[in-house]
Amino acid sequence: MKRQSYDGVVLAAPVTIPYTRYSTETAHYWIARALRETLRAAGLKPTELDGFSVASFTLFPDTPVGLTQHLGLSPRWLDTIPMGGASGLAALRRAARAVQAGDVDIVACVAGDTNHIDSFRKLLSSFSRFAMDAGYPYGYGGPNANFALLTDRYMQEYGATREDFGRICVAQRANALKNPHAVMKKPLSLQQYMDARPISDPIALFDCVMPVAGSEAYLVMREDEAIKRNLPFAHILGTIERHNAHIEDPIQLRGGWTVDIDELWEMAGCGPDDIDLLQTYDDYPVISAMQIEDMGFCAKGEAAAFIRSHDLTVEGDFPHNTSGGQLSAGQAGAAGGFIGLVEAIRQVTHTGGPTQVPDARRAAISGFGMINYDRGLCSAAAIIEGAQS
Amino acid sequence: MTTPLTPPPRKDPLKRTVSPTQPPVIRSRAALGLTAMAAEGRFALQTCAECGAVQYPPRDACSACLSTDLPWWDIAPTGQLLAETTVQTSVKQYFRERTPWRVGSVQLDAGPVVICHLHGDVAANARVRLRLLLDRAGQGVILALPQERTDHMADDPELRLMSSDPHLRRVLITDARHPFAPDLAAALQTAGATLIFAGEPENWLPNPNRSALEAAGAEILPLDVTDTKSVERMAGEIGGKTDILINTARFMRPGGVLARGGTGFARDEMEVNYLGLMRLAQAFGPAMCGRTADGVNSAVAWVNILSVHARTNTPGFGCFNASQAAAFSLSQSLRAEFRGAGLRVMNVFTGPLEEDWYQPLPPPKVTGPALARSVVSGLRDGLEDVWCGDVAKDFEERFCKNPKVLEIELGQEMGE
Ligand SMILES: [Zn+2]
C-alpha cells in the first residue's frame, strides 16, 4: 500500500540547550530547559501543550509519565522513545501521524540527558541484557570495542583507511569551530587525528564522541498552527524506520536504511542529488560512512572515495553534520539522536546562524541507535524541506 | 608468537600486593548456562529443540522460530575470525590493569557470531578453535585459539588468566600420606610447578611415600588437619606462597551405618574430611584470596579430591561417603566465598582408587598417575568439576539423567 504523505504537518521551533562536559543537574533539568525554550518560541504555556514525546537514558527512576507531574504538563498524547540515535526521527514519525490524525494538536519532542562524573560507566553497565552477558565480559571496551570490530571489518572489506575516517572528523571539527556551543573548541588536523591515543584499535581518541550533558527539542504541529504562531517551519517529505535489519549479516557493514531507501526517496519525490545537506548519526565515523552509502549518496564500499572527493564542511560541496555533530559538539545521551534533526530544521528554515549553509532548502537526516550486542539495531531517516517564504 | 613466562623475581615485602579486581560478574539466568558448561570444560550452546538453530547470546526464545525449548547441546568448537580489536582503555578496573586486551568477532561454523577473547597467536582472518572457559569472576566466557598448537601457547596472558595452570606456581599437597601423593607431586613437577610442599601428619612415624615425594622435589612439612594449631602454624609459614592447595587429607573405613559398631570412625572421618577442610580453608583461604592478582605466581586454585559418592551414597562405604558429602557441600560454600577474589575451587570426583581400602571392589579403579593427570589437566583447563576415571564418568552421566534412579540403582548394586 502506498504510504500517506505528511502533507499539512510541519516541524518548528528547533532548540539546542548548550552542552556541558559534566553536569551535577538531572535529566529532568535538561529536559525542562529545552521544553521551556521550544514552548517559548511558539508562545505556548506548559499547560496548553497537548502532546509530549521524551527520549532519555538518565530519567531513572522516573518515566515521561512522572515528568508530566514534575513539569506541570497535562498532555492528551504522551510518548517515550527508547531508540538512542534513532530517537529524534522515531519521535518525529509518531508525532507527525498523531497530529495528522487529529489525536493531538502540538507535540513537543524533547531529548535530554545529564552526565555526572560517573554516569557514563553506570550507563554502560546497564545497557542491555546481551551486552551484559556477551559484550562487557570481553574487555569491557563498551561501544568503542564494538565499533572497532565493525571498523576493522569495514576497512578489510572496502579498503578504507584511517585517513578516510579522519577526513570526516576533521571536517566536522571545522564546522564545530563555527558553532559557539560545540564542546570541542580547538582545530583538529588530519595529522593530529592520525597521531591520537589508541582507544580500541583501529579506533583512536578522535573517533570517539565525548559524553556530555545537554538537551534538544522541536515541535510537531499542523501547518496552519505554525503560520498562526508566526514560526518558520519545515515540511516532512519522507521518512523510514527499520529495526534489526539484515539478521543474516555476520558483522554489520550496512544498516536498515538499505531495506527502505527506495521508499524514502520515492516518498520524498526527490533523490540524493537534490539534497543540500546531510546529517548522519556520527557516534563513530565508520557509521557516518555507512550512512553516506546506505542513504544512496554513493555505492556500497565507496564512501572513502566519496569523502576524498568532497568537502564536508559548511562551505563545502557536501555539507555534513553542520553543527559539528556529536564527534565535535558532544554526545548528550539520547539527545545525540536529536542533534542532526534539530540542526537540519534550523538549516532549512535558515535559522542556523553561524553554521548556516547558504540557500539550504532540503536536508536528509539519518539516525542509528542501540548497540544491543554486536551491532546497532535501530535505523531511521527523513527528508525535510524548508517552507518557501 | 607467545612470549614464554619467566619465573617472577623474589617478592619485595615492602611492595603492596595488587588487590584482586574482577571482570564483570552479573549475568542473566540464561547466560549462567555458559558458566555451567565452562565449569566442566564443555563447549555447548543453546540449540532449539524444534528447529535446530544454535543461539548466541543465550536467550529465552529461539530467534528462528520462537520456541522456548532451548536445551544446551555440545557444538563444534570451530569458526572463522571476522574482525578483531585490541582494547587499549577500559572503564572497568580489571581490564584497565590488563590492557592491551585482544578481542575478536568470530562466526561459529554452527552459525552464530560471538564476540570473544582472542589468543595472541591467532592470525588475522584465521580459522579458530573455541573454548568456553571460566574467567576470574567465575563466569563462562569464550576464547578463540589458533587451530594448531603454538609454542608456549598456555602462557598467553588472556588464556593464563582463565586457567589455574601449575606452571611457575607453588603447590601444597595437604597430606603426604595419601597413597597417590607421590604421583601428584611428580605430575606437578613435570607441569612446571616451582615449589611443592607436602604436609605430613604424625611426622614422627615412618611414611612410605617420603622418598618418592622427595624425588619429585617436594618439601615435606608437618601438618595435621585435625589440629587447628598445626594448620595455623603451617599457614603462617607458607600461606603467603601457596598458589594452589590440593587437599588430599582423608580418613576412610568401609561400611554403612549398620556395619559399623558405633560412631567412632565416623567421628574421625568428619574430623579429617569435613572439619579438616574447614580448618585449612580458614587458615589458608584469606591469604590465598588476597594474592589472586599477584602476577605470574598468583594464588589461583583450591582443589578437593572427593569420592564421587559425595553426590549419591552407597552402603559399601556409606559412613565415609557421608563425610565426603559434607566436604562437597562445604566446597560449594567455599566456591561462592572465594569467587569474589577470583580463587577457583576445583572438585575432582573419583571412583574407587587402586589402593588398599578399596581392595574388595571390582575394577575399573583410578590409579595414582590417572588421578594426577586429571588434577593437572583440570587445573590447566581452569575447571571447577572434574570426573576422574570411568566409574566417575559413568556416575556423572547417570546422575545427570536421573539422580533418584541412580540412588536406587547404586543401593541395589551394593545390596547384592
Ligand atoms: Zn527454533
Side-chain angles (χ1 to χ4, degrees), chain A residues 120-121 124 129-130 132-141 144-146 148-150 152-153 156 197-203 247-251 373-375, chain B residues 24 26-28 30-31 56-60 81-92 95 101 103-105 107 113-117 125 135 140-142:
Chain A
F120 182 65
R121 199 168 65 86
L124 258 190
R129 186 173 133 181
F130 281 3
M132 173 179 86
D133 286 344
Y136 301 151
Y138 299 90
Y140 210 84
N144 293 332
N146 282 119
L149 291 169
L150 307 191
D152 179 50
R153 187 68 198 182
Q156 290 180 45
R197 178 163 65 87
I199 300 292
S200 189
D201 308 336
I203 298 251
I247 294 171
E248 67 288 355
D249 289 2
I251 193 161
Y373 165 48
D374 62 336
R375 62 191 72 193
Chain B
I26 300 170
R27 297 289 193 281
S28 70
Y56 191 84
R59 63 196 65 200
D60 305 333
L81 180 65
L82 298 176
E84 65 170 277
T85 183
T86 302
V87 176
Q88 307 281 0
T89 173
S90 172
V91 294
K92 187 88 184 167
F95 290 113
W101 191 275
V103 175
S105 175
Q107 179 152 38
V113 173
V114 300
I115 292 175
C116 57
H117 301 297
N125 297 313
D135 67 12
V141 291
I142 298 173

Side-chain angles (χ1 to χ4, degrees), chain A residues 28-49:
Chain A
H28 307 62
Y29 163 97
W30 286 99
I31 289 169
R33 286 189 58 196
L35 177 64
R36 184 184 197 190
E37 286 305 310
T38 194
L39 293 182
R40 181 186 291 169
L44 276 165
K45 292 197 189 79
T47 47
E48 290 167 351
L49 180 72

Side-chain angles (χ1 to χ4, degrees), chain B residues 263-282:
Chain B
T263 56
F265 281 152
R267 203 178 291 273
D268 290 335
E269 283 161 348
M270 293 304 276
E271 197 60 57
V272 175
N273 305 341
Y274 172 67
L275 294 172
L277 170 59
M278 197 183 296
R279 286 185 195 96
L280 287 166
Q282 287 168 348

Side-chain angles (χ1 to χ4, degrees), chain B residues 47-53 55 61-70:
Chain B
T47 307
C48 179
E50 290 184 37
C51 78
Q55 321 279 324
C62 171
S63 57
C65 78
L66 295 180
S67 165
T68 52
D69 189 3
L70 299 175

Side-chain angles (χ1 to χ4, degrees), chain B residues 353-415:
Chain B
L353 307 184
E354 189 68 65
E355 50 133 346
D356 293 350
W357 287 112
Y358 283 116
Q359 192 271 328
L361 295 189
K365 293 185 198 173
V366 173
T367 64
L371 177 68
R373 269 197 306 276
S374 281
V375 169
V376 169
S377 69
L379 287 170
R380 282 182 176 148
D381 292 344
L383 304 182
E384 283 189 349
D385 294 318
V386 175
W387 305 84
C388 173
D390 293 333
V391 169
K393 290 196 172 84
D394 171 76
F395 177 100
E396 186 216 0
E397 215 180 298
R398 290 154 76 193
F399 185 89
C400 289
K401 271 192 195 134
N402 190 328
K404 186 66 190 173
V405 166
L406 178 61
E407 179 197 314
I408 299 163
E409 283 180 329
L410 289 174
Q412 283 169 348
E413 282 167 25
M414 292 296 165

